[in-house]
Amino acid sequence: MKPLILGNIISLIAAFFILSILFLLGIYGLDFAFNNITKILMWIVWIFAFPAYVEYRKSSLKASYLINYLPPIAILITFIGLVLLMEGKFLGLETIVLGYILEPISGISIYLSIKDIQKFSAYLFFYGAVIYTIGLPFYLINIPEIAIIGDSIKIIGLSYFIKFMIKNSYQ
């Protein structure tokens, strides 16, 4: 069970970096994605994908094939997007969004596993990820609130699950 907790802690930290990016782009517009601050934050999120993936793979997750195969594809797609973004191409941002479409799909295995332990946090985690992903294209029409709300819900779900697991592991 410890790899699942650690994977969720890593995902929680990444979600806070994502939330920072979402706020920056919501406040300053999509052009701010080409700012060095945003680029650095995006690379940090990308780097966090590796230890989260490793910890989730160590966990005994239901529908593990989703977590085994989809995240490497998403990591590769977002890497390509980040490289394009570094070259100043808007296609990089679109490619990153494409990579993040796989997040709620691969998150199904996490959702199914934590649902058996703590349903409320599982629902918040999964539906927050779905809302976040659906909200990303809305940045194109200057509606950042959907993705921000989704990521915030996911953060609450992860936080609640981590707290629940830590509390119950010491009793």
Side-chain angles (χ1 to χ4, degrees):
M1 193 58 65
K2 289 183 182 185
L4 180 57
I5 296 170
L6 190 52
N8 282 326
I9 290 170
I10 295 165
S11 292
L12 178 63
I13 295 167
F16 278 111
F17 279 101
I18 290 168
L19 191 59
S20 300
I21 295 165
L22 295 174
F23 274 117
L24 288 171
L25 297 180
I27 293 167
Y28 298 109
L30 285 180
D31 286 339
F32 203 72
F34 301 99
N35 181 286
N36 287 335
I37 293 169
T38 309
K39 289 179 188 176
I40 290 168
L41 291 171
M42 288 184 180
W43 279 107
I44 290 169
V45 170
W46 184 78
I47 290 167
F48 271 107
F50 290 97
Y53 173 67
V54 168
E55 292 305 318
Y56 286 134
R57 286 273 321 246
K58 289 182 196 175
S59 303
S60 299
L61 298 176
K62 295 183 178 186
S64 60
Y65 58 90
L66 292 172
I67 205 76
N68 291 342
Y69 301 112
L70 292 180
I73 296 167
I75 290 169
L76 177 61
I77 292 170
T78 54
F79 175 76
I80 292 167
L82 284 166
V83 169
L84 292 169
L85 189 72
M86 296 302 287
E87 294 175 355
K89 297 179 180 169
F90 191 78
L91 179 61
L93 203 52
E94 296 168 325
T95 306
I96 291 167
V97 170
L98 176 65
Y100 272 96
I101 289 172
L102 296 176
E103 180 184 359
I105 299 168
S106 61
I108 290 170
S109 61
I110 300 165
Y111 162 75
L112 292 172
S113 299
I114 65 176
K115 183 176 69 116
D116 291 340
I117 302 165
Q118 216 303 312
K119 284 184 184 178
F120 181 68
S121 59
Y123 293 139
L124 290 174
F125 163 75
F126 180 72
Y127 292 112
V130 170
I131 294 166
Y132 157 72
T133 304
I134 290 169
L136 290 176
F138 282 90
Y139 271 82
L140 294 173
I141 54 174
N142 203 26
I143 303 174
E145 294 83 4
I146 297 169
I148 290 170
I149 290 168
D151 195 49
S152 299
I153 292 169
K154 185 175 112 176
I155 286 171
I156 293 167
L158 285 170
S159 300
Y160 190 77
F161 180 74
I162 292 165
K163 179 183 172 192
F164 177 84
M165 290 304 295
I166 291 172
K167 179 183 172 190
N168 289 317
S169 67
Y170 290 110
Q171 291 182 359

Coordinates of all heavy atoms in Angstrom, one line a residue, residues 8-26 32 36-49 51 96 100 103 132 136 139 147-148 151-152 154-155 158:
N8 N 0.5 8.9 -4.8 CA -0.5 9.9 -4.7 C 0.1 11.2 -4.1 O -0.3 12.3 -4.5 CB -1.6 9.5 -3.8 CG -2.6 8.6 -4.5 OD1 -2.8 8.8 -5.7 ND2 -3.2 7.6 -3.8
I9 N 1.1 11.1 -3.3 CA 1.8 12.3 -2.7 C 2.5 13.0 -3.9 O 2.5 14.2 -4.0 CB 2.8 11.9 -1.6 CG1 2.0 11.5 -0.3 CG2 3.7 13.1 -1.3 CD1 2.8 10.9 0.8
I10 N 3.2 12.2 -4.7 CA 3.9 12.8 -5.9 C 2.9 13.5 -6.8 O 3.1 14.6 -7.3 CB 4.8 11.7 -6.6 CG1 5.9 11.2 -5.7 CG2 5.3 12.3 -7.9 CD1 6.5 9.9 -6.1
S11 N 1.8 12.8 -7.1 CA 0.8 13.4 -7.9 C 0.2 14.6 -7.3 O -0.2 15.6 -8.0 CB -0.4 12.3 -8.2 OG 0.1 11.3 -8.9
L12 N 0.0 14.6 -6.0 CA -0.5 15.8 -5.3 C 0.5 17.0 -5.5 O 0.0 18.1 -5.8 CB -0.7 15.5 -3.8 CG -1.2 16.7 -3.0 CD1 -2.6 17.2 -3.4 CD2 -1.2 16.3 -1.5
I13 N 1.7 16.8 -5.3 CA 2.7 17.9 -5.5 C 2.7 18.4 -6.9 O 2.6 19.6 -7.2 CB 4.1 17.4 -5.1 CG1 4.2 17.1 -3.6 CG2 5.2 18.4 -5.5 CD1 5.4 16.3 -3.2
A14 N 2.6 17.4 -7.9 CA 2.5 17.8 -9.3 C 1.2 18.6 -9.6 O 1.3 19.6 -10.3 CB 2.6 16.6 -10.2
A15 N 0.1 18.2 -8.9 CA -1.1 18.9 -9.1 C -1.1 20.4 -8.7 O -1.7 21.3 -9.3 CB -2.3 18.2 -8.4
F16 N -0.3 20.6 -7.6 CA -0.1 22.0 -7.2 C 0.7 22.8 -8.2 O 0.4 24.0 -8.4 CB 0.6 22.1 -5.8 CG -0.4 21.9 -4.7 CD1 -0.4 20.8 -3.9 CD2 -1.4 22.9 -4.4 CE1 -1.3 20.6 -2.8 CE2 -2.3 22.7 -3.3 CZ -2.2 21.5 -2.6
F17 N 1.7 22.2 -8.8 CA 2.5 22.9 -9.8 C 1.5 23.1 -11.0 O 1.6 24.2 -11.6 CB 3.7 22.1 -10.3 CG 4.9 22.2 -9.4 CD1 5.2 21.3 -8.4 CD2 5.7 23.3 -9.5 CE1 6.2 21.4 -7.6 CE2 6.8 23.5 -8.6 CZ 7.1 22.5 -7.7
I18 N 0.7 22.2 -11.4 CA -0.2 22.3 -12.5 C -1.2 23.5 -12.2 O -1.5 24.3 -13.0 CB -1.0 21.0 -12.7 CG1 -0.1 20.0 -13.3 CG2 -2.2 21.2 -13.6 CD1 -0.6 18.5 -13.4
L19 N -1.7 23.5 -10.9 CA -2.6 24.6 -10.6 C -1.9 26.0 -10.7 O -2.6 26.9 -11.2 CB -3.1 24.4 -9.1 CG -4.2 25.3 -8.6 CD1 -5.5 25.1 -9.5 CD2 -4.6 25.0 -7.2
S20 N -0.7 26.0 -10.4 CA 0.1 27.3 -10.6 C 0.1 27.7 -12.1 O -0.1 28.9 -12.4 CB 1.5 27.2 -10.1 OG 1.6 26.8 -8.7
I21 N 0.4 26.7 -12.9 CA 0.4 26.9 -14.3 C -1.0 27.4 -14.8 O -1.1 28.4 -15.6 CB 0.9 25.7 -15.1 CG1 2.3 25.3 -14.7 CG2 0.7 25.9 -16.6 CD1 2.7 23.9 -15.2
L22 N -2.0 26.7 -14.4 CA -3.4 27.1 -14.8 C -3.7 28.5 -14.4 O -4.3 29.2 -15.2 CB -4.4 26.1 -14.2 CG -4.3 24.6 -14.6 CD1 -5.2 23.8 -13.8 CD2 -4.5 24.5 -16.1
F23 N -3.3 28.9 -13.2 CA -3.6 30.3 -12.8 C -2.8 31.3 -13.6 O -3.4 32.3 -14.0 CB -3.3 30.5 -11.3 CG -4.4 30.1 -10.4 CD1 -4.3 29.1 -9.5 CD2 -5.6 30.8 -10.4 CE1 -5.4 28.7 -8.6 CE2 -6.7 30.5 -9.6 CZ -6.5 29.5 -8.7
L24 N -1.5 31.0 -13.8 CA -0.7 31.9 -14.6 C -1.3 32.1 -16.0 O -1.4 33.2 -16.5 CB 0.7 31.4 -14.7 CG 1.6 31.5 -13.5 CD1 2.9 30.7 -13.6 CD2 1.8 32.9 -13.1
L25 N -1.7 31.0 -16.7 CA -2.3 31.1 -18.0 C -3.7 31.7 -18.0 O -4.0 32.4 -18.9 CB -2.3 29.7 -18.6 CG -1.0 29.0 -18.9 CD1 -1.2 27.6 -19.5 CD2 -0.1 29.8 -19.7
G26 N -4.4 31.5 -16.9 CA -5.7 32.1 -16.8 C -5.6 33.6 -16.6 O -6.4 34.4 -17.1
F32 N 1.5 33.3 -22.2 CA 2.4 33.2 -21.0 C 3.0 31.8 -20.9 O 3.9 31.5 -20.2 CB 1.6 33.6 -19.7 CG 2.6 34.0 -18.6 CD1 3.2 35.2 -18.6 CD2 2.8 33.1 -17.5 CE1 4.1 35.6 -17.6 CE2 3.7 33.5 -16.5 CZ 4.3 34.7 -16.5
N36 N 9.4 31.9 -19.5 CA 10.4 30.9 -18.9 C 9.8 30.4 -17.6 O 10.1 29.2 -17.3 CB 11.7 31.6 -18.7 CG 12.5 31.7 -20.0 OD1 12.2 31.0 -20.9 ND2 13.4 32.7 -20.0
I37 N 9.1 31.1 -16.8 CA 8.6 30.6 -15.5 C 7.6 29.5 -15.8 O 7.7 28.4 -15.2 CB 7.8 31.8 -14.8 CG1 8.8 32.8 -14.3 CG2 7.0 31.2 -13.6 CD1 8.2 34.1 -13.8
T38 N 6.7 29.7 -16.8 CA 5.8 28.6 -17.1 C 6.5 27.4 -17.7 O 6.1 26.3 -17.3 CB 4.7 29.2 -18.1 OG1 4.2 30.4 -17.6 CG2 3.6 28.2 -18.3
K39 N 7.4 27.6 -18.5 CA 8.2 26.5 -19.1 C 8.8 25.7 -18.0 O 8.8 24.4 -18.0 CB 9.2 27.0 -20.1 CG 8.6 27.5 -21.4 CD 9.8 28.0 -22.2 CE 9.3 28.8 -23.5 NZ 10.4 29.3 -24.2
I40 N 9.5 26.4 -17.1 CA 10.1 25.6 -16.0 C 9.1 24.8 -15.2 O 9.3 23.7 -14.8 CB 10.9 26.6 -15.0 CG1 12.1 27.2 -15.8 CG2 11.3 26.0 -13.7 CD1 12.8 28.4 -15.1
L41 N 8.0 25.5 -14.9 CA 6.9 24.8 -14.1 C 6.4 23.5 -14.9 O 6.2 22.5 -14.3 CB 5.8 25.7 -13.8 CG 6.0 26.8 -12.8 CD1 4.9 27.8 -12.7 CD2 6.3 26.2 -11.4
M42 N 6.3 23.7 -16.2 CA 5.8 22.5 -17.0 C 6.9 21.4 -17.0 O 6.5 20.2 -17.0 CB 5.5 23.0 -18.4 CG 4.3 23.8 -18.5 SD 3.9 24.2 -20.3 CE 2.5 25.1 -20.1
W43 N 8.1 21.8 -17.1 CA 9.2 20.7 -17.0 C 9.2 20.0 -15.6 O 9.4 18.8 -15.6 CB 10.6 21.3 -17.3 CG 10.8 21.5 -18.8 CD1 10.8 22.6 -19.5 CD2 11.0 20.4 -19.7 NE1 11.1 22.4 -20.8 CE2 11.2 21.0 -21.0 CE3 11.2 19.1 -19.7 CZ2 11.5 20.3 -22.2 CZ3 11.4 18.3 -20.8 CH2 11.6 18.9 -22.0
I44 N 9.0 20.8 -14.6 CA 8.9 20.2 -13.3 C 7.8 19.2 -13.2 O 8.0 18.1 -12.7 CB 8.8 21.3 -12.2 CG1 10.0 22.1 -12.1 CG2 8.4 20.7 -10.8 CD1 9.9 23.4 -11.2
V45 N 6.6 19.5 -13.7 CA 5.5 18.6 -13.7 C 5.8 17.4 -14.5 O 5.5 16.2 -14.1 CB 4.2 19.3 -14.3 CG1 3.1 18.3 -14.5 CG2 3.7 20.4 -13.4
W46 N 6.5 17.6 -15.6 CA 6.9 16.4 -16.5 C 7.8 15.5 -15.7 O 7.7 14.3 -15.8 CB 7.5 16.9 -17.8 CG 7.8 15.8 -18.8 CD1 6.9 15.2 -19.6 CD2 9.1 15.3 -19.0 NE1 7.6 14.2 -20.3 CE2 8.9 14.3 -20.0 CE3 10.4 15.5 -18.5 CZ2 10.0 13.5 -20.4 CZ3 11.4 14.8 -18.9 CH2 11.3 13.8 -19.9
I47 N 8.8 16.1 -15.0 CA 9.7 15.3 -14.3 C 9.0 14.5 -13.2 O 9.4 13.3 -12.9 CB 10.9 16.2 -13.7 CG1 11.7 16.7 -14.9 CG2 11.7 15.4 -12.7 CD1 12.7 17.8 -14.5
F48 N 8.0 15.1 -12.5 CA 7.3 14.4 -11.5 C 6.5 13.2 -12.0 O 6.2 12.3 -11.3 CB 6.3 15.3 -10.8 CG 6.9 16.1 -9.6 CD1 7.2 17.4 -9.7 CD2 7.1 15.4 -8.4 CE1 7.7 18.1 -8.6 CE2 7.6 16.1 -7.3 CZ 7.9 17.5 -7.4
A49 N 6.3 13.2 -13.3 CA 5.5 12.0 -13.9 C 6.3 10.7 -13.7 O 5.7 9.7 -13.5 CB 5.3 12.3 -15.4
P51 N 8.6 9.6 -11.2 CA 8.5 8.9 -9.9 C 7.0 8.5 -9.6 O 6.8 7.4 -9.0 CB 9.0 9.8 -8.9 CG 9.0 11.2 -9.5 CD 9.1 10.9 -11.0
I96 N 0.8 19.1 -25.6 CA 0.8 18.8 -24.1 C -0.6 18.5 -23.7 O -0.8 17.5 -23.0 CB 1.4 20.0 -23.4 CG1 2.9 20.2 -23.6 CG2 1.1 19.9 -21.9 CD1 3.5 21.5 -23.2
Y100 N -2.2 15.1 -22.0 CA -3.0 15.1 -20.7 C -4.4 14.4 -20.9 O -5.0 14.1 -19.9 CB -3.1 16.5 -20.1 CG -1.9 16.8 -19.2 CD1 -0.8 17.5 -19.7 CD2 -1.9 16.3 -17.9 CE1 0.2 17.7 -18.9 CE2 -0.8 16.5 -17.1 CZ 0.3 17.2 -17.6 OH 1.4 17.5 -16.8
E103 N -4.5 11.2 -19.0 CA -4.5 11.2 -17.6 C -5.7 10.6 -16.9 O -5.6 9.6 -16.1 CB -4.3 12.6 -17.0 CG -4.2 12.6 -15.5 CD -4.1 14.0 -14.9 OE1 -4.0 15.0 -15.6 OE2 -4.1 14.0 -13.6
Y132 N -10.7 18.6 -15.1 CA -9.5 19.3 -15.4 C -9.2 19.1 -16.9 O -8.9 20.0 -17.7 CB -8.4 18.8 -14.6 CG -7.0 19.0 -15.1 CD1 -6.4 20.2 -15.2 CD2 -6.2 17.9 -15.6 CE1 -5.1 20.4 -15.7 CE2 -5.0 18.1 -16.1 CZ -4.4 19.3 -16.2 OH -3.2 19.5 -16.7
L136 N -9.2 21.9 -20.2 CA -8.0 22.5 -20.9 C -8.3 23.2 -22.2 O -7.8 24.3 -22.4 CB -6.9 21.4 -21.0 CG -6.3 20.9 -19.7 CD1 -5.3 19.7 -20.0 CD2 -5.5 22.0 -19.0
Y139 N -9.3 26.9 -22.4 CA -8.3 28.0 -22.3 C -8.3 28.8 -23.7 O -8.0 30.0 -23.7 CB -6.9 27.5 -21.9 CG -6.7 27.5 -20.4 CD1 -7.2 26.4 -19.7 CD2 -6.1 28.5 -19.8 CE1 -7.0 26.4 -18.3 CE2 -5.9 28.5 -18.4 CZ -6.4 27.5 -17.7 OH -6.2 27.5 -16.3
A147 N -10.8 24.1 -15.9 CA -9.6 23.3 -15.6 C -9.1 23.6 -14.2 O -8.7 22.6 -13.5 CB -8.5 23.6 -16.6
I148 N -9.2 24.8 -13.7 CA -8.8 25.2 -12.4 C -9.6 24.5 -11.3 O -9.1 23.9 -10.4 CB -8.8 26.7 -12.2 CG1 -7.7 27.3 -13.0 CG2 -8.7 27.1 -10.7 CD1 -7.7 28.9 -13.1
D151 N -8.7 20.6 -11.4 CA -7.5 20.3 -10.7 C -7.6 20.5 -9.2 O -7.1 19.7 -8.4 CB -6.4 21.2 -11.3 CG -5.0 20.7 -10.8 OD1 -4.7 19.5 -11.0 OD2 -4.2 21.5 -10.3
S152 N -8.4 21.5 -8.8 CA -8.6 21.8 -7.4 C -9.4 20.6 -6.7 O -9.1 20.2 -5.6 CB -9.4 23.1 -7.1 OG -8.6 24.2 -7.6
K154 N -9.4 17.5 -7.8 CA -8.4 16.4 -7.8 C -7.5 16.6 -6.6 O -7.2 15.6 -5.9 CB -7.6 16.4 -9.1 CG -6.7 15.2 -9.2 CD -6.1 15.1 -10.6 CE -4.6 15.4 -10.4 NZ -3.9 15.3 -11.7
I155 N -7.0 17.8 -6.3 CA -6.1 18.0 -5.2 C -6.8 17.7 -3.9 O -6.3 17.0 -3.0 CB -5.7 19.5 -5.2 CG1 -4.6 19.7 -6.3 CG2 -5.1 19.9 -3.8 CD1 -4.2 21.2 -6.5
L158 N -7.0 13.8 -3.7 CA -5.7 13.2 -3.3 C -5.4 13.5 -1.9 O -4.9 12.6 -1.1 CB -4.6 13.8 -4.2 CG -4.6 13.2 -5.7 CD1 -3.7 14.0 -6.5 CD2 -4.3 11.7 -5.7

